[in-house]
Amino acid sequence: DFNPLDKSFEKNYTQYFDLDLIKCDDQEVFVDVGAFTGDTIKSYIDNYGAYKKIYAYDITPDNIKLMKNNLKEYENIIYNEKAVSNCCKTFYLESNNQSSSANKIGEQGDIKVYSTTLDDDIEEKITLIKMDIEGSEENALLGAINHIKNDTPKLLISVYHNHQDIWKLPLLIY
């Protein structure tokens, strides 16, 4: 039940981008894992304006098409129709009938999805990572361990998909 949670949300800023906490500049290399249709990327641009490069990852072909259309006026965005995990492997799309934002990867399905790690896929320094990937955040963080250790990016990680994530993921990052 998300209704009681609504009372705890900060209403002065958009989701993820509390301008009192998250400072960004024109040198940001922003990685959006679970980019959906580009809504968070658009929010980032609306809030901060400039950036160096944006990497967008999503597993749903229709979402990638919508995202490219929604963000067509912006430059230096790399679109990746891949899952982000702790390994490079072939998975399958497990579609959610209610919303494509809740699609997951699994061992069975009709559409192949290739996974990568951020450590394998991105060579440059990452300054900001947002992850909202339906409970797969732990594996994606493990696949970004070198970037997290070496680049110390700002991390905007969803922790509400699994009951343990709210304490487990901060410990993992630490």
Side-chain angles (χ1 to χ4, degrees), residues 59 82-94 104-117 136 139:
I59 61 172
K82 300 177 188 174
V84 175
S85 189
N86 61 342
C87 63
C88 298
K89 181 179 170 181
T90 301
F91 289 99
Y92 294 90
L93 184 66
E94 290 182 2
K104 297 181 182 183
I105 56 172
E107 299 298 325
Q108 298 179 20
D110 295 330
I111 300 173
K112 285 185 180 180
V113 176
Y114 300 99
S115 71
T116 189
T117 70
S136 295
N139 284 338

Side-chain angles (χ1 to χ4, degrees), residues 10-170:
E10 168 69 66
K11 304 285 194 222
N12 294 325
Y13 302 108
T14 59
Q15 183 182 18
Y16 298 113
F17 304 117
D18 182 325
L19 301 179
D20 292 333
L21 299 174
I22 307 296
K23 306 293 184 200
C24 295
D25 60 31
D26 62 353
Q27 293 303 301
E28 295 299 327
V29 176
F30 171 32
V31 179
D32 189 348
V33 182
F36 187 44
T37 60
D39 54 336
T40 303
I41 293 169
K42 180 73 168 84
S43 176
Y44 172 87
I45 294 168
D46 289 346
N47 278 288
Y48 299 106
Y51 57 90
K52 182 177 177 184
K53 192 180 288 181
I54 296 174
Y55 291 87
Y57 290 86
D58 201 88
I59 61 172
T60 307
D62 288 343
N63 289 352
I64 295 286
K65 288 178 193 169
L66 281 168
M67 184 180 350
K68 286 180 177 179
N69 186 57
N70 292 340
L71 302 172
K72 64 185 172 204
E73 65 188 86
Y74 304 104
E75 297 180 356
N76 296 326
I77 300 176
I78 311 300
Y79 301 95
N80 297 284
E81 190 178 319
K82 300 177 188 174
V84 175
S85 189
N86 61 342
C87 63
C88 298
K89 181 179 170 181
T90 301
F91 289 99
Y92 294 90
L93 184 66
E94 290 182 2
S95 296
N96 182 297
N97 293 333
Q98 292 182 321
S99 173
S100 63
S101 69
N103 287 346
K104 297 181 182 183
I105 56 172
E107 299 298 325
Q108 298 179 20
D110 295 330
I111 300 173
K112 285 185 180 180
V113 176
Y114 300 99
S115 71
T116 189
T117 70
L118 293 184
D119 286 342
D120 286 337
D121 214 44
I122 300 175
E123 293 183 13
E124 67 186 303
K125 180 179 178 176
I126 297 171
T127 61
L128 175 65
I129 300 173
K130 171 255 170 184
M131 285 184 189
D132 187 351
I133 49 175
E134 304 309 305
S136 295
E137 290 83 4
E138 180 178 357
N139 284 338
L141 287 167
L142 290 169
I145 197 160
N146 290 320
H147 277 295
I148 292 169
K149 283 181 179 179
N150 299 326
D151 304 345
T152 61
K154 296 174 277 290
L155 299 173
L156 311 171
I157 312 298
S158 293
V159 295
Y160 63 90
H161 296 105
N162 297 314
H163 296 294
Q164 297 178 345
D165 281 355
I166 198 160
W167 60 267
K168 192 175 184 181
L169 296 184

Side-chain angles (χ1 to χ4, degrees), residues 1-9 11 15 134 160-161:
D1 183 3
F2 287 98
N3 290 328
L5 285 177
D6 189 52
K7 295 176 184 168
S8 67
F9 290 140
K11 304 285 194 222
Q15 183 182 18
E134 304 309 305
Y160 63 90
H161 296 105

